[in-house]
Amino acid sequence: MNSRLSLLASLALGLGLPQVTVAQSWMPGFVSAELVGSWRTDRGTQMTALRVRLEDGWKTYWRAPGDAGIPPDWNWRGSANAAEITIHWPTPQVFESGGLRTIGYAHEMILPIEVVPADPTQDVWLAAEISFGICREICVPVLVNVQNLLQGPGEATPDIIAAIAALPEIRTGIAHCEIEPVLDGMRVTAKIEMPRLGPREIALFELAGVSSWVSESVNSREGDVLTSMVEIVPYDSRSFDLERRDLLITVLGGSRAVEISGCPI
């Protein structure tokens, strides 16, 4: 069962509990940020969600924001009994402006957050300092502090359930990559075997372990094979070995997304 289905299966448990947040000062475009909800999954992990609300016309960014976006940065100092923290990213939107492509969410962003407790018999105290960008005609950096006491069993609200339902489908073994060196980096050409997801398909590439710039993908489709090409250049311009297992490809099409981990030959 993939992570989306597993999380959805856990939502019917228990009673809701209050959350604690730190109020934020007003700035253009920004409304609020808070950790909302608390419930336990059938795997024994604790769940909550970050909800960011923006004024109409404003947007914020996905984990890989594209050409001009600001990626979120997380600092979990102050948390207690949190052995492992995983942020689940619902399917984002693609924005085109001034010849630049950015990836993110308009008006509101809800990110389910899953925590493995160090001691499963104790509550989790989750505290985060989060920096992220919001944009309209101008872009504004935002720094927020949010907190929540996570206790089980609990339950999720309908908007968090919808965010979990919007997580990408997880598939493996459907992408095969050719890799060749280019000036200061590597070119990756992936052939992804799957039916068309929807209109305006694009593929987004991420590379774990290497701080790098990734070009916009060039995409074409022939039948059930989507071909996507990007160039990856480390920010320090040093030579590097591109490990195929460290590639993460997310294909967006319409309102759907598929996430593919690893890209063998």
Side-chain angles (χ1 to χ4, degrees), residues 17-24 32-39 47-53 74-76 78-79 85-87 109-115 124-130 144-150 157 159-160:
L17 291 162
Q19 63 277 344
V20 182
T21 66
V22 177
Q24 311 302 322
S32 65
E34 56 185 343
L35 291 176
V36 293
S38 170
W39 77 96
M47 296 290 303
T48 187
L50 173 69
R51 178 192 286 138
V52 174
R53 288 191 170 118
W74 308 73
N75 184 329
W76 299 103
S79 297
I85 300 170
T86 301
I87 300 160
M109 174 176 71
I110 298 177
L111 302 180
I113 300 172
E114 187 168 9
V115 182
V124 172
W125 177 252
L126 200 62
E129 180 182 81
I130 310 167
V144 300
N145 290 279
V146 292
Q147 304 170 351
N148 200 357
L149 179 64
L150 308 188
T157 57
D159 54 354
I160 299 176

Side-chain angles (χ1 to χ4, degrees), residues 208-228:
V210 178
S211 180
S212 57
W213 170 83
V214 181
S215 70
E216 285 189 12
S217 59
V218 177
N219 305 281
S220 62
R221 175 174 281 282
E222 186 173 342
D224 284 344
V225 177
L226 173 68
T227 299
S228 184

Side-chain angles (χ1 to χ4, degrees), residues 32-133:
S32 65
E34 56 185 343
L35 291 176
V36 293
S38 170
W39 77 96
R40 184 184 297 124
T41 72
D42 54 5
R43 299 188 300 281
T45 57
Q46 289 290 150
M47 296 290 303
T48 187
L50 173 69
R51 178 192 286 138
V52 174
R53 288 191 170 118
L54 306 174
E55 294 178 359
D56 289 343
W58 288 75
K59 62 179 182 286
T60 190
Y61 295 102
W62 191 57
R63 62 176 185 247
D67 290 330
I70 303 171
D73 184 65
W74 308 73
N75 184 329
W76 299 103
R77 270 197 313 267
S79 297
N81 197 34
E84 183 179 335
I85 300 170
T86 301
I87 300 160
H88 296 282
W89 294 85
T91 299
Q93 296 175 251
V94 179
F95 303 99
E96 306 278 356
S97 178
L100 298 176
R101 175 191 297 165
T102 55
I103 314 298
Y105 307 93
H107 185 61
E108 183 176 63
M109 174 176 71
I110 298 177
L111 302 180
I113 300 172
E114 187 168 9
V115 182
V116 177
D119 181 351
T121 67
Q122 301 297 316
D123 298 338
V124 172
W125 177 252
L126 200 62
E129 180 182 81
I130 310 167
S131 61
F132 55 97

